[in-house]
Amino acid sequence: MRAISKEVLVQRTRWFVYAAGLLLAVSLAHCGRSGSNAGAPGGGVVQAPGAAAGGGGAGLTGAGATFPYPIYSRWFDAWRKKTGVAINYQSIGSGAGIQQLAAGTVDFGASDAPLSDDKLKTMPHPVLHLPTVGGAVVLAFNLPGVPAVKLTPQAIAGIFLGTIRIWNDPAIASANAGVTLPNTPILAVHRSDGSGTTNIFTTYLSAVSPAWKSKVGANTSVSWPTGVGGKGNDGVSGLVKQTPGAIGYVELAYARQNQLAMASIRNRAGQFVTPTLQSTTAAIAASSAALAKDVRTPIVDAAGAQSYPIAAVTFLLVNQDQTDAGKARKFVDFVRWAIHDGQAQVEALDYAQLPPNLVQQDEATLKKITVNGQALPAT
């Protein structure tokens, strides 16, 4: 092997240091963009100044759902300004958030898919559910020249089962009299990661389509019969935005942020309803009795002429018994603020406020949090 001269070795060493520094700078710049977009869709990490990356220091760490990311990022920023307590939140999907809570690497998780009784039994510690806001999962589509489309439950199921493949299929055209639908192939876009948004959407499909329920079912991840996947609500939004003929399910705020057209969906009452703050609130109100019995109850396909049929509440998940009294107090104080004063911020981002009965249930749940088996001192 030929010997390397001292000059060449020094040159190579300098190049390696330069390249490593450049890579670090790019990484930090990317992180800065992800964390500075408080209140806007886009996923990533919300890390307010002073937040401890590993969960130490004075702050809190959380991870999970992208569905409520826009409102959570705004809340965390407002809470830091109000109290000085920083909350580092990774918007990585409900499934990953649950995994991190189970592993003990975060102080709280976030999920649009509540844990079933069986799933709760597999968690290392008893977990509490705290509803935070309501939201809508919308069918965003990209069909140049067609600004509005009506979809029946059967048509939606057919699209994602792969049995309806073109936009002018009679199953779609029959609900869109007077609209010239093109002979364009449909690209169904779904989530590629474990997702509470997927759980909401597939729970809806299972409720309205026996074929979907028997062939695919409902979960945070399913075996999709057709289509392509995107990571996070922002990934699905991006694929739909750049692909003519595409249709995908995303949270309402992401569709609005990306200026995507959204389908009106026929609800249980037979009305085609556009996803709005008002129609989401109507669905939650129509489901209030069921939610009062168990906050984990799905509210898809809700009764009522004004109810949007793919609606849900989203949750913060926390271990009932804590080991750090200081962090437990900070978490309780934040949630109490979020379900009261913080609700004034949710409608600006197209989320629905919690109804009074859910706020009361949250208050009761917060009182169940203990520290090493002892009640958390009142403030």
Side-chain angles (χ1 to χ4, degrees), residues 21-47:
L22 181 62
L23 179 62
L24 177 62
V26 172
S27 298
L28 290 174
H30 175 74
C31 291
R33 286 194 299 270
S34 297
S36 64
N37 200 21
V45 178
V46 180
Q47 182 165 332

PDB file of all heavy atoms in Angstrom, residues 21-47:
ATOM      1  N   GLY A  21     -18.576  19.609   9.954  1.00  0.00           N
ATOM      2  CA  GLY A  21     -19.160  20.877  10.409  1.00  0.00           C
ATOM      3  C   GLY A  21     -20.307  21.313   9.533  1.00  0.00           C
ATOM      4  O   GLY A  21     -21.329  21.817  10.008  1.00  0.00           O
ATOM      5  N   LEU A  22     -20.154  21.130   8.215  1.00  0.00           N
ATOM      6  CA  LEU A  22     -21.220  21.500   7.291  1.00  0.00           C
ATOM      7  C   LEU A  22     -22.467  20.668   7.537  1.00  0.00           C
ATOM      8  O   LEU A  22     -23.582  21.182   7.552  1.00  0.00           O
ATOM      9  CB  LEU A  22     -20.727  21.312   5.851  1.00  0.00           C
ATOM     10  CG  LEU A  22     -21.727  21.683   4.740  1.00  0.00           C
ATOM     11  CD1 LEU A  22     -22.086  23.153   4.828  1.00  0.00           C
ATOM     12  CD2 LEU A  22     -21.138  21.347   3.367  1.00  0.00           C
ATOM     13  N   LEU A  23     -22.275  19.354   7.761  1.00  0.00           N
ATOM     14  CA  LEU A  23     -23.411  18.477   8.030  1.00  0.00           C
ATOM     15  C   LEU A  23     -24.121  18.883   9.307  1.00  0.00           C
ATOM     16  O   LEU A  23     -25.356  18.924   9.365  1.00  0.00           O
ATOM     17  CB  LEU A  23     -22.921  17.027   8.132  1.00  0.00           C
ATOM     18  CG  LEU A  23     -23.992  15.971   8.443  1.00  0.00           C
ATOM     19  CD1 LEU A  23     -25.032  15.943   7.338  1.00  0.00           C
ATOM     20  CD2 LEU A  23     -23.349  14.597   8.586  1.00  0.00           C
ATOM     21  N   LEU A  24     -23.356  19.237  10.326  1.00  0.00           N
ATOM     22  CA  LEU A  24     -23.964  19.667  11.583  1.00  0.00           C
ATOM     23  C   LEU A  24     -24.751  20.946  11.405  1.00  0.00           C
ATOM     24  O   LEU A  24     -25.857  21.114  11.917  1.00  0.00           O
ATOM     25  CB  LEU A  24     -22.876  19.856  12.651  1.00  0.00           C
ATOM     26  CG  LEU A  24     -23.335  20.383  14.016  1.00  0.00           C
ATOM     27  CD1 LEU A  24     -24.321  19.391  14.641  1.00  0.00           C
ATOM     28  CD2 LEU A  24     -22.146  20.604  14.937  1.00  0.00           C
ATOM     29  N   ALA A  25     -24.194  21.883  10.611  1.00  0.00           N
ATOM     30  CA  ALA A  25     -24.885  23.153  10.388  1.00  0.00           C
ATOM     31  C   ALA A  25     -26.198  22.950   9.666  1.00  0.00           C
ATOM     32  O   ALA A  25     -27.217  23.560   9.998  1.00  0.00           O
ATOM     33  CB  ALA A  25     -23.984  24.100   9.580  1.00  0.00           C
ATOM     34  N   VAL A  26     -26.191  22.070   8.644  1.00  0.00           N
ATOM     35  CA  VAL A  26     -27.430  21.783   7.919  1.00  0.00           C
ATOM     36  C   VAL A  26     -28.456  21.154   8.824  1.00  0.00           C
ATOM     37  O   VAL A  26     -29.639  21.491   8.809  1.00  0.00           O
ATOM     38  CB  VAL A  26     -27.128  20.865   6.713  1.00  0.00           C
ATOM     39  CG1 VAL A  26     -28.422  20.393   6.072  1.00  0.00           C
ATOM     40  CG2 VAL A  26     -26.272  21.608   5.691  1.00  0.00           C
ATOM     41  N   SER A  27     -28.006  20.222   9.675  1.00  0.00           N
ATOM     42  CA  SER A  27     -28.923  19.552  10.600  1.00  0.00           C
ATOM     43  C   SER A  27     -29.542  20.534  11.563  1.00  0.00           C
ATOM     44  O   SER A  27     -30.743  20.518  11.830  1.00  0.00           O
ATOM     45  CB  SER A  27     -28.179  18.457  11.374  1.00  0.00           C
ATOM     46  OG  SER A  27     -27.687  17.477  10.499  1.00  0.00           O
ATOM     47  N   LEU A  28     -28.698  21.440  12.112  1.00  0.00           N
ATOM     48  CA  LEU A  28     -29.218  22.426  13.058  1.00  0.00           C
ATOM     49  C   LEU A  28     -30.181  23.379  12.369  1.00  0.00           C
ATOM     50  O   LEU A  28     -31.203  23.783  12.949  1.00  0.00           O
ATOM     51  CB  LEU A  28     -28.062  23.199  13.680  1.00  0.00           C
ATOM     52  CG  LEU A  28     -27.173  22.410  14.653  1.00  0.00           C
ATOM     53  CD1 LEU A  28     -25.978  23.247  15.090  1.00  0.00           C
ATOM     54  CD2 LEU A  28     -27.978  21.947  15.863  1.00  0.00           C
ATOM     55  N   ALA A  29     -29.877  23.755  11.130  1.00  0.00           N
ATOM     56  CA  ALA A  29     -30.786  24.650  10.406  1.00  0.00           C
ATOM     57  C   ALA A  29     -32.119  23.995  10.183  1.00  0.00           C
ATOM     58  O   ALA A  29     -33.173  24.613  10.323  1.00  0.00           O
ATOM     59  CB  ALA A  29     -30.155  25.040   9.049  1.00  0.00           C
ATOM     60  N   HIS A  30     -32.098  22.689   9.854  1.00  0.00           N
ATOM     61  CA  HIS A  30     -33.355  21.960   9.648  1.00  0.00           C
ATOM     62  C   HIS A  30     -34.166  21.899  10.928  1.00  0.00           C
ATOM     63  O   HIS A  30     -35.366  22.126  10.940  1.00  0.00           O
ATOM     64  CB  HIS A  30     -33.054  20.560   9.140  1.00  0.00           C
ATOM     65  CG  HIS A  30     -34.279  19.710   9.015  1.00  0.00           C
ATOM     66  ND1 HIS A  30     -35.188  19.893   7.999  1.00  0.00           N
ATOM     67  CD2 HIS A  30     -34.758  18.699   9.781  1.00  0.00           C
ATOM     68  CE1 HIS A  30     -36.182  19.034   8.146  1.00  0.00           C
ATOM     69  NE2 HIS A  30     -35.934  18.298   9.221  1.00  0.00           N
ATOM     70  N   CYS A  31     -33.474  21.605  12.037  1.00  0.00           N
ATOM     71  CA  CYS A  31     -34.175  21.540  13.325  1.00  0.00           C
ATOM     72  C   CYS A  31     -34.775  22.877  13.676  1.00  0.00           C
ATOM     73  O   CYS A  31     -35.870  22.973  14.222  1.00  0.00           O
ATOM     74  CB  CYS A  31     -33.223  21.085  14.429  1.00  0.00           C
ATOM     75  SG  CYS A  31     -32.728  19.353  14.266  1.00  0.00           S
ATOM     76  N   GLY A  32     -34.033  23.950  13.341  1.00  0.00           N
ATOM     77  CA  GLY A  32     -34.560  25.268  13.645  1.00  0.00           C
ATOM     78  C   GLY A  32     -35.828  25.549  12.881  1.00  0.00           C
ATOM     79  O   GLY A  32     -36.767  26.130  13.398  1.00  0.00           O
ATOM     80  N   ARG A  33     -35.856  25.135  11.600  1.00  0.00           N
ATOM     81  CA  ARG A  33     -37.080  25.354  10.823  1.00  0.00           C
ATOM     82  C   ARG A  33     -38.227  24.560  11.400  1.00  0.00           C
ATOM     83  O   ARG A  33     -39.350  25.019  11.459  1.00  0.00           O
ATOM     84  CB  ARG A  33     -36.838  24.955   9.365  1.00  0.00           C
ATOM     85  CG  ARG A  33     -35.990  25.940   8.587  1.00  0.00           C
ATOM     86  CD  ARG A  33     -36.092  25.658   7.105  1.00  0.00           C
ATOM     87  NE  ARG A  33     -35.627  24.344   6.759  1.00  0.00           N
ATOM     88  CZ  ARG A  33     -34.375  24.076   6.437  1.00  0.00           C
ATOM     89  NH1 ARG A  33     -33.447  25.015   6.472  1.00  0.00           N
ATOM     90  NH2 ARG A  33     -34.026  22.839   6.113  1.00  0.00           N
ATOM     91  N   SER A  34     -37.982  23.325  11.837  1.00  0.00           N
ATOM     92  CA  SER A  34     -39.046  22.476  12.356  1.00  0.00           C
ATOM     93  C   SER A  34     -39.612  23.034  13.637  1.00  0.00           C
ATOM     94  O   SER A  34     -40.792  22.969  13.896  1.00  0.00           O
ATOM     95  CB  SER A  34     -38.513  21.053  12.604  1.00  0.00           C
ATOM     96  OG  SER A  34     -38.092  20.463  11.398  1.00  0.00           O
ATOM     97  N   GLY A  35     -38.740  23.591  14.481  1.00  0.00           N
ATOM     98  CA  GLY A  35     -39.204  24.022  15.786  1.00  0.00           C
ATOM     99  C   GLY A  35     -39.723  25.432  15.814  1.00  0.00           C
ATOM    100  O   GLY A  35     -40.341  25.861  16.782  1.00  0.00           O
ATOM    101  N   SER A  36     -39.484  26.242  14.752  1.00  0.00           N
ATOM    102  CA  SER A  36     -39.868  27.642  14.791  1.00  0.00           C
ATOM    103  C   SER A  36     -41.242  27.886  14.235  1.00  0.00           C
ATOM    104  O   SER A  36     -41.764  28.986  14.315  1.00  0.00           O
ATOM    105  CB  SER A  36     -38.847  28.467  13.977  1.00  0.00           C
ATOM    106  OG  SER A  36     -38.879  28.085  12.621  1.00  0.00           O
ATOM    107  N   ASN A  37     -41.889  26.867  13.702  1.00  0.00           N
ATOM    108  CA  ASN A  37     -43.162  27.029  13.011  1.00  0.00           C
ATOM    109  C   ASN A  37     -44.325  26.809  13.955  1.00  0.00           C
ATOM    110  O   ASN A  37     -45.263  26.111  13.650  1.00  0.00           O
ATOM    111  CB  ASN A  37     -43.228  26.045  11.839  1.00  0.00           C
ATOM    112  CG  ASN A  37     -44.239  26.462  10.807  1.00  0.00           C
ATOM    113  OD1 ASN A  37     -44.614  27.625  10.748  1.00  0.00           O
ATOM    114  ND2 ASN A  37     -44.680  25.529   9.996  1.00  0.00           N
ATOM    115  N   ALA A  38     -44.271  27.433  15.123  1.00  0.00           N
ATOM    116  CA  ALA A  38     -45.299  27.198  16.130  1.00  0.00           C
ATOM    117  C   ALA A  38     -46.660  27.612  15.608  1.00  0.00           C
ATOM    118  O   ALA A  38     -46.852  28.702  15.101  1.00  0.00           O
ATOM    119  CB  ALA A  38     -44.969  27.991  17.403  1.00  0.00           C
ATOM    120  N   GLY A  39     -47.621  26.702  15.759  1.00  0.00           N
ATOM    121  CA  GLY A  39     -48.984  27.008  15.363  1.00  0.00           C
ATOM    122  C   GLY A  39     -49.288  26.665  13.923  1.00  0.00           C
ATOM    123  O   GLY A  39     -50.387  26.909  13.461  1.00  0.00           O
ATOM    124  N   ALA A  40     -48.343  26.092  13.171  1.00  0.00           N
ATOM    125  CA  ALA A  40     -48.586  25.766  11.772  1.00  0.00           C
ATOM    126  C   ALA A  40     -48.287  24.314  11.506  1.00  0.00           C
ATOM    127  O   ALA A  40     -47.397  23.736  12.104  1.00  0.00           O
ATOM    128  CB  ALA A  40     -47.712  26.651  10.873  1.00  0.00           C
ATOM    129  N   PRO A  41     -49.057  23.682  10.594  1.00  0.00           N
ATOM    130  CA  PRO A  41     -48.778  22.287  10.270  1.00  0.00           C
ATOM    131  C   PRO A  41     -47.396  22.138   9.681  1.00  0.00           C
ATOM    132  O   PRO A  41     -46.845  23.042   9.092  1.00  0.00           O
ATOM    133  CB  PRO A  41     -49.860  21.958   9.232  1.00  0.00           C
ATOM    134  CG  PRO A  41     -50.934  22.948   9.468  1.00  0.00           C
ATOM    135  CD  PRO A  41     -50.233  24.194   9.920  1.00  0.00           C
ATOM    136  N   GLY A  42     -46.862  20.912   9.812  1.00  0.00           N
ATOM    137  CA  GLY A  42     -45.581  20.627   9.213  1.00  0.00           C
ATOM    138  C   GLY A  42     -44.801  19.576   9.956  1.00  0.00           C
ATOM    139  O   GLY A  42     -43.745  19.156   9.516  1.00  0.00           O
ATOM    140  N   GLY A  43     -45.300  19.148  11.113  1.00  0.00           N
ATOM    141  CA  GLY A  43     -44.627  18.094  11.858  1.00  0.00           C
ATOM    142  C   GLY A  43     -43.326  18.570  12.448  1.00  0.00           C
ATOM    143  O   GLY A  43     -43.023  19.740  12.513  1.00  0.00           O
ATOM    144  N   GLY A  44     -42.508  17.631  12.926  1.00  0.00           N
ATOM    145  CA  GLY A  44     -41.214  17.963  13.469  1.00  0.00           C
ATOM    146  C   GLY A  44     -41.230  18.035  14.968  1.00  0.00           C
ATOM    147  O   GLY A  44     -42.004  17.370  15.639  1.00  0.00           O
ATOM    148  N   VAL A  45     -40.347  18.860  15.510  1.00  0.00           N
ATOM    149  CA  VAL A  45     -40.180  18.971  16.953  1.00  0.00           C
ATOM    150  C   VAL A  45     -40.470  20.388  17.381  1.00  0.00           C
ATOM    151  O   VAL A  45     -39.981  21.343  16.799  1.00  0.00           O
ATOM    152  CB  VAL A  45     -38.737  18.596  17.373  1.00  0.00           C
ATOM    153  CG1 VAL A  45     -38.546  18.758  18.860  1.00  0.00           C
ATOM    154  CG2 VAL A  45     -38.414  17.176  16.947  1.00  0.00           C
ATOM    155  N   VAL A  46     -41.293  20.548  18.411  1.00  0.00           N
ATOM    156  CA  VAL A  46     -41.496  21.842  19.030  1.00  0.00           C
ATOM    157  C   VAL A  46     -40.587  21.887  20.233  1.00  0.00           C
ATOM    158  O   VAL A  46     -40.797  21.178  21.206  1.00  0.00           O
ATOM    159  CB  VAL A  46     -42.954  22.030  19.490  1.00  0.00           C
ATOM    160  CG1 VAL A  46     -43.119  23.398  20.129  1.00  0.00           C
ATOM    161  CG2 VAL A  46     -43.899  21.882  18.324  1.00  0.00           C
ATOM    162  N   GLN A  47     -39.527  22.692  20.165  1.00  0.00           N
ATOM    163  CA  GLN A  47     -38.618  22.810  21.302  1.00  0.00           C
ATOM    164  C   GLN A  47     -38.438  24.277  21.606  1.00  0.00           C
ATOM    165  O   GLN A  47     -37.731  24.993  20.917  1.00  0.00           O
ATOM    166  CB  GLN A  47     -37.264  22.152  21.019  1.00  0.00           C
ATOM    167  CG  GLN A  47     -36.327  22.222  22.223  1.00  0.00           C
ATOM    168  CD  GLN A  47     -35.163  21.275  22.092  1.00  0.00           C
ATOM    169  OE1 GLN A  47     -35.260  20.251  21.448  1.00  0.00           O
ATOM    170  NE2 GLN A  47     -34.057  21.613  22.705  1.00  0.00           N
TER     171      GLN A  47
END
